[in-house]
Amino acid sequence: MKDLILTVLSNNPPGGRCTLYIRYAEELSRSLGLKTQTIFPGESHNHAAPGLLIGEVPVMPSDGVIIEPDDICNAVKHAGIKIVDLAELNNRLNQLVDETIGGV
């Protein structure tokens, strides 16, 4: 696997989804050893906030609105990132959802 960078596309200041995606990135960095960066894309950028990119590939929300843990796990598999326990990663990401926006 080449050195992939996980990019968080965030509004400034970050709101609910942006905050969740930043937390996703922190977990993925710890779990998978991915380097992360946060950018605040302007009109000239190819992708809009809020969002996540693995390398140059956007993680697409299956519901068209919010990136869920299953979406991230699917993107990780498609990127060829080796992980011992994808179910455990999914559980940790779901905990972040509950902690960040669970009451919404």
Side-chain angles (χ1 to χ4, degrees):
M1 175 181 74
K2 59 186 175 195
D3 289 336
L4 290 176
I5 296 176
L6 179 67
T7 303
V8 178
L9 305 164
S10 180
N11 292 313
N12 192 11
R17 284 186 291 164
C18 293
T19 300
L20 176 62
Y21 298 171
I22 289 167
R23 294 191 70 195
Y24 281 161
E26 291 167 350
E27 180 60 40
L28 292 168
S29 177
R30 277 190 300 273
S31 299
L32 306 177
L34 293 176
K35 296 177 184 177
T36 64
Q37 66 179 356
T38 300
I39 62 172
F40 308 100
E43 291 179 15
S44 63
H45 197 273
N46 292 339
H47 304 286
L52 285 173
L53 304 173
I54 296 179
E56 296 297 319
V57 179
V59 177
M60 300 304 294
S62 56
D63 69 358
V65 179
I66 188 167
I67 298 171
E68 297 286 342
D70 287 342
D71 301 326
I72 293 172
C73 291
N74 288 333
V76 165
K77 283 192 290 189
H78 282 88
I81 299 169
K82 303 292 184 206
I83 180 166
V84 173
D85 192 348
L86 199 57
E88 176 59 27
L89 174 63
N90 191 300
N91 288 336
R92 288 194 308 271
L93 295 173
N94 272 302
Q95 285 178 310
L96 293 175
V97 172
D98 291 343
E99 292 169 7
T100 308
I101 60 172
V104 174

